[in-house]
Amino acid sequence: MTTRSPRWRWAGLAGLWLFGTTACAADVDAHANPDAAPRRLYDLRTETGMPHLDENLRYAVRREQRCLAPDDLSTVFWMLQDVSLQDCTLDKLSDDAYQLRCSGGHGTTGDARWQFGADGGLVGRMNVRLGGKNMTFFQRVSATPVGPCR
C-alpha cells in the first residue's frame, strides 16, 4: 500500500477546487440570464422633427438595419452621436422610460419612451429641449423585426 504525502493531498484538493470553480463559472456564464431576450435584427426608421424650422426642413427620415437587444434601447437614437449632444446619455428609469442627462452644463434636457408591440416591434420617441435656447426636436424610431442577427 502506498502512502502519499500531505503535500500531494493538498495539491489534489487545490486542483479539484480549481476545476470545480471553473466549471461553476462556465455554467453561470452560460445561464447568466436565461430570460434575457436575444439580439434580433431590426429594420429601423428614424424620423427627426424640428418644429422651429420651415416646413420643407422640418422633418428628416433615416433608415438602417441593426441588431438590437433590450439593453441597447438607450443607444438607438442616432442624434445622441452628434457633437451637440456628445456629453449626453439616456439613463434608464424603467423598461420603457429613459431620462436624458448631459454633463456639459448647457441645460439640455429630454426624455425617451418606448412602446413594445406583441409582434416584437418597437416604437420609441425621444424629446429634447436644447438648453439656453427655445429649440426643441424629437426623434421617433419605428423598429420592425427582420430576423436573427447574422
Side-chain angles (χ1 to χ4, degrees):
M1 180 166 191
T2 309
T3 58
R4 301 205 168 127
S5 71
R7 185 171 29 161
W8 183 88
R9 283 188 212 139
W10 180 250
L13 289 175
L16 186 60
W17 176 82
L18 180 62
F19 173 78
T21 55
T22 304
C24 287
D27 189 46
V28 167
D29 288 343
H31 303 289
N33 191 355
D35 296 330
R39 295 176 62 82
R40 294 175 74 179
L41 182 63
Y42 286 90
D43 183 30
L44 299 177
R45 181 181 182 275
T46 305
E47 174 188 351
T48 304
M50 296 169 250
H52 61 280
L53 294 179
D54 290 332
E55 188 68 32
N56 61 340
L57 299 174
R58 195 171 287 184
Y59 297 102
V61 177
R62 178 176 166 173
R63 295 188 81 108
E64 65 180 309
Q65 285 194 342
R66 265 176 72 184
C67 282
L68 298 174
D71 292 341
D72 298 332
L73 295 181
S74 65
T75 64
V76 172
F77 300 101
W78 62 263
M79 193 66 170
L80 291 174
Q81 307 306 315
D82 188 73
V83 172
S84 61
L85 298 175
Q86 67 187 2
D87 67 331
C88 300
T89 59
L90 284 172
D91 293 339
K92 188 174 187 175
L93 300 176
S94 66
D95 286 342
D96 65 343
Y98 292 79
Q99 183 71 42
L100 185 69
R101 299 206 197 279
C102 301
S103 60
H106 42 75
T108 298
T109 60
D111 64 354
R113 296 255 180 217
W114 285 96
Q115 296 174 339
F116 306 96
D119 64 348
L122 306 167
V123 176
R125 181 179 167 115
M126 178 178 68
N127 299 301
V128 177
R129 181 179 183 277
L130 299 173
K133 302 175 181 111
N134 194 19
M135 289 179 39
T136 61
F137 73 89
F138 70 87
Q139 281 196 309
R140 183 176 325 152
V141 175
S142 300
T144 306
V146 176
C149 291
R150 297 178 211 140

